[in-house]
Structure formats: C-alpha cells, structure tokens
C-alpha cells in the first residue's frame, strides 16, 4: 500500500485558517496561539514585552550565530557588574547594568544605587583604616635605623674615638666608693647631652624623632602616638586609600586596553584558567601590573614622604607641605624622569612582578599543572594558596625593603618631593645600592625581613576564614 504523505487528501474539507471547534484560543503554525479576534495571546503579556523581550532578542542572536567569545565576555561582565551592585533592598532594586531609559529619571533607583555605592565605599575605607597603622609601622621599620635598640650593634654615626674619650672623662664614676657628684659643670653637661644624642643616632634638634622602646610594631605605634598624637598614627591615610583605588582601576583599564590587541579575553572578566591562551593572559597581567606601578610611582613617593615626615605644620619645620594636590602639581615626567634612579625603577618592576605573579597566577598553575581548582577541591586549593602566600611574603619582603630604602634615598636628592632631615620622624637607614646591602652587609641581612610576623598573622587569619566559611560564592559559579 502506497504511503500517503499529504494529509489534505484524507481531509479535503479541513482548512487550518478557518477551522474552529468553539475553543476560545487556537494554535496556528505561523502565528502561535491566537484568540477569537485573531490576536496573539503572547502580545498581551506586558511582562514579556518589558523584561523578557530584551532577553529573547539576545538569546536569538546568540543562537543564530555570532562571536562566542564576545557573548561569553559580555555575560560575565554583566554578572561582574551585577555582583558589584548587589543589593539587599529586595527584588525590585536594580543594578547599574540593569537600568532602562525610564529608570534614569526614577529617583528611587538612583537612591538605591548611591546607597549601595556608599556602603561598599565605607566598607573598603573602614578596612583601610584598620590596616593603615600597621602599614606605617612596617615602613618605618624598613627604612629606619634603630641600632641603638639592639644589643651589640653600634650606630653608623657612632665614633669609637669619642667613646674612648668619654670613658676617660667618666672613669672615676665607675668607683663605687666615690661620692656622687650632683653638680656638673657646663662642659660635662654638654658632653652628657652629646652622648645622649649619639645614643639616639642623630641630633634631634626639632624634637620630631620618635623614641620607641623596641622594634616591635606596638612600640613603634606607641612612640608615634606619644610624639604626634592620634593624627600621626593615621598619617598619609587618604593618600594610601587613593593609591590603592587608582592601582586597581588602572590595572583593570590597562588589561581592558591591551587584551583586544593581544586577541585574548580580558582577565578581569574571564578567569585566566579559562583563557584560550594562558601564556598571553599571564603576560598581559604582568605587563599591566608593571605599567600601573610605574604610572603611580610619583604618588608612591609622595606616600612614603608623608609617612616618614612629621605631621607638624606649625612653621617650625621648613617646607613641610603635606598636601597631596600641591605635591603632585610639582611633578613633571618630562623634567624629572631623568632624575629617577635606575635601581628605583628596577625595584618597582621587580616588586610588581613578584606580587602579581604569586597572587594572580597561582590559581592558573594549580589548575593546569596539578588539576586543582577552587570548585572541586576547596580545602586543598585554599591550603596550597596559603602556602603560596607564605612564600610570597618571604620573597617580597626583602624586595619591598630595598624599594623603600631606595625611595627614601631618592627623596633626599634634588627633586619636587625633596624632604629635609629636620622633617623626619626616624633616622633613615644608610642605603647605597642593592649589591652593597645584600652582599656586603651580610650581618644585617635579616633586617630585610622586618614585619614578617604581622604579614604571616594576616595570612593565617585569611586562611582560617576561608576554611571555616561555607564556599557559597564558589558553588554559585559554573565550572566550564
């Protein structure tokens, strides 16, 4: 029996356009579900017209073809922006990326956006306030000369001949049977005062030098508090916050600028482990970090200048300008780029490469070399990241120490940020070059790791929080 392929032969009386058995809605192949008036029911749904329509159009574009990498990058970018603008005001609150034309004149939408921005800004600033005093203490320990606090070490400005003469003049004081002399003449008073100043390491004519009881962080902060009050503990606070903000912003801008030229996705939107070319992505991350560090070099110098100088501005200190705006106006790359020391530029690049390499490339190495990621091996991944951060701490601290000393040395040369010795709150450690510091002063090499206890404690606290907390944010991501 021959198969009948055309169903119209069996029902010649059937017309799909006019056939109706009394239903309130019928389905037509080309129009969908229509009512008795011939109108499409889907067109009556306002929620489809307003919200789903744009989603269906983007879905149709993605299904009909197009650049898969572009669609993926855009989707992750939307998710990234939505995460930044995440709200606790309920389902009606919109993120910055979800704004429509009618939302631009809606006061409530803008109020919610501003509230979220202020909340996140205040949270970051509060974290910065907690960390700032410890950063100040660490920098002062790195660049300061505190030999008078350590047993067996003499100050670089201590003269052995003066020591012999002083002992000769005060040799009678060692006799226990001698009567105490409560009255001293003028020469003896000057000698005692000079000896006290040499014990401090440098003459403190303006009384700006701090005198900590030890080289521990708490003692450094206490000495700053005693000398300059609460303002001294949070010195250069706003400059530090601006530097951190610009560092993140410029790094993201450089990666977004260079990623299309290198034909790779932006690492800020697509994780490096999902990049089609991991080598190019890693090179882009390191290059952007170095460029950011060099662009912000003047601001970093201003930050160091504000930390090592006194906050006093009562006219007793000459040229003690602590205005970030005024100091940056003095800087000109055209005039001052030739004054930059090659070691200063090299240490900035090396410091950036080490920090970025450990912090941003560890995850890619763990995934591609050991098949460990944060989705399926949470505890192992965090443990290996902890080990990486510990290694980063002990590798980066000596480089940071040398960089800070090089910056202080540059600040004493003729430049727009030049600092005078009477403005300092510490006696600076003598620094000549990397070679002399590392290879010629082997007995002082341990000083390059000052501040490691505080850094290790911070890493331990961060590791403990990641282990104890449930990784809900990780489970929400899709591993592909």
């Amino acid at each position: 029996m021959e198969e009948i392929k055309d169903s119209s032969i069996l029902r010649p009386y059937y017309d799909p356009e006019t056939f109706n058995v009394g239903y309130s809605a019928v389905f037509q192949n080309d129009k969908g579900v229509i009512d008795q008036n011939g109108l499409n029911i889907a067109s009556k749904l306002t929620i489809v017209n307003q919200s789903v329509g744009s989603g269906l159009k983007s879905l149709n574009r993605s299904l009909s073809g197009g650049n898969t990498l572009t669609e993926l990058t855009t989707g992750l970018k939307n998710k990234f922006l939505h995460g930044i603008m995440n709200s606790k005001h309920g389902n009606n609150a919109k993120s910055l990326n979800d704004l429509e034309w009618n939302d631009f004149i809606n006061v409530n939408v803008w109020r919610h956006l501003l509230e979220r921005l202020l909340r996140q800004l205040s949270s970051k600033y509060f974290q910065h306030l907690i960390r700032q005093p410890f950063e100040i203490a660490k920098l002062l320990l790195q660049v300061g000369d505190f030999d008078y606090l350590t047993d067996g070490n003499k100050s670089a400005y201590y003269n052995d001949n003066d020591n012999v003469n002083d002992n000769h003049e005060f040799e009678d004081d060692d006799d226990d049977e001698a009567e105490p002399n409560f009255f001293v003449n003028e020469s003896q008073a000057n000698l005692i005062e000079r000896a006290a100043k040499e014990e401090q390491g440098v003459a403190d004519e303006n009384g700006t030098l701090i005198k900590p009881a030890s080289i521990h962080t708490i003692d450094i902060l206490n000495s700053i508090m005693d000398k300059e009050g609460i303002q001294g503990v949070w010195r250069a606070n706003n400059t530090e916050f601006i530097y951190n903000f610009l560092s993140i912003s410029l790094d993201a801008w450089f990666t977004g600028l260079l990623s299309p030229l290198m034909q790779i996705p932006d690492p800020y939107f697509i994780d490096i482990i999902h990049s089609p070319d991991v080598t190019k992505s890693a090179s882009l991350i390191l290059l952007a970090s170095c460029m950011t560090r060099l662009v912000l070099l003047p601001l970093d110098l201003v930050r160091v200048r504000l930390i090592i100088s006194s906050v006093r501005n009562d006219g007793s200190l000459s040229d003690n300008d602590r205005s970030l705006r005024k100091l940056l106006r003095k800087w000109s790359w055209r005039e001052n780029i030739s004054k930059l020391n090659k070691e200063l530029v090299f240490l900035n690049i090396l410091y950036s490469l080490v920090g970025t390499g450990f912090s941003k490339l560890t995850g890619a190495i763990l995934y591609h070399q050991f098949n460990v990621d944060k989705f399926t091996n949470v505890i192992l991944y965090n443990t290996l990241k902890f080990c990486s951060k510990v290694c980063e701490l002990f590798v980066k601290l000596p480089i940071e120490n040398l960089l800070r000393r090089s910056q202080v040395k540059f600040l004493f040369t003729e430049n727009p940020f030049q600092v005078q010795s009477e403005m300092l709150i510490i006696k600076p450690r003598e620094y000549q070059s990397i070679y002399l510091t590392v290879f010629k002063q082997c007995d002082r090499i341990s000083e390059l790791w000052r501040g490691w206890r505080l850094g290790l404690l911070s890493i331990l606290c961060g590791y403990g929080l990641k282990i104890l907390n449930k990784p809900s944010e990780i489970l929400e991501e899709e591993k592909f």
Side-chain angles (χ1 to χ4, degrees), residues 266-445:
D266 191 343
Y268 268 81
F269 295 139
I270 295 182
D271 199 299
I272 185 175
I273 64 175
H274 305 308
S275 174
D277 194 330
V278 179
T279 303
K280 284 187 177 181
S281 296
S283 302
L284 173 61
I285 292 174
L286 296 176
L287 178 61
S289 177
C290 292
M291 295 174 64
T292 301
R293 187 83 191 178
L294 293 178
V295 170
L296 296 179
L297 190 148
L299 184 59
D300 195 18
L301 290 172
V302 172
R303 178 180 61 173
V304 175
R305 183 185 191 271
L306 296 178
I307 292 178
I308 65 174
S309 61
S310 175
V311 298
R312 289 169 49 186
N313 197 11
D314 53 3
S316 60
L317 301 179
S318 60
D319 195 25
N320 188 21
D321 195 350
R322 300 187 63 83
S323 173
L324 174 62
R325 177 173 53 86
K326 294 180 180 179
L327 288 173
L328 288 180
R329 282 183 175 179
K330 299 179 182 179
W331 181 266
S332 174
W333 279 104
R334 181 181 302 177
E335 298 177 0
N336 299 288
I337 191 173
S338 59
K339 299 179 181 180
L340 293 176
N341 191 353
K342 294 181 179 179
E343 282 194 357
L344 179 60
V345 177
F346 170 74
L347 288 172
N348 270 280
I349 295 176
L350 184 60
Y351 181 77
S352 177
L353 291 176
V354 172
T356 306
F358 274 98
S359 61
K360 294 186 178 181
L361 302 183
T362 301
I365 295 176
L366 292 177
Y367 179 76
H368 289 283
Q369 298 296 329
F370 305 101
N371 198 24
V372 176
D373 57 69
K374 59 183 178 182
F375 304 101
T376 57
N377 303 284
V378 179
I379 297 180
L380 179 60
Y381 177 83
N382 288 325
T383 303
L384 293 177
K385 285 281 288 186
F386 166 76
C387 298
S388 173
K389 289 183 178 180
V390 173
C391 295
E392 176 189 359
L393 174 66
F394 287 96
V395 172
K396 194 171 69 171
L397 263 182
I399 302 174
E400 182 181 1
N401 199 311
L402 294 172
L403 173 62
R404 299 307 179 199
R405 294 184 185 182
S406 178
Q407 288 174 331
V408 173
K409 178 183 177 181
F410 174 79
L411 291 174
F412 277 98
T413 61
E414 185 178 355
N415 62 84
F417 307 142
Q418 186 175 6
V419 62
Q420 304 297 328
S421 58
E422 63 269 12
M423 299 163 50
L424 301 178
I425 62 173
I426 45 93
K427 172 193 168 184
R429 167 73 67 194
E430 184 180 0
Y431 176 81
Q432 296 180 357
S433 65
I434 300 176
Y435 177 78
L436 292 177
T437 303
V438 176
F439 299 101
K440 294 297 182 180
Q441 300 178 0
C442 298
D443 56 330
R444 310 173 73 103
I445 196 69

Side-chain angles (χ1 to χ4, degrees), residues 96 99 103-115:
L96 184 63
L99 290 180
D103 294 325
F104 284 98
I105 59 176
N106 192 329
V107 179
N108 292 329
V109 173
W110 283 106
R111 180 172 59 85
H112 291 159
L113 288 175
L114 291 176
E115 287 178 357

Side-chain angles (χ1 to χ4, degrees), residues 65 179 377 447:
E179 295 183 359
N377 303 284
E447 297 178 359

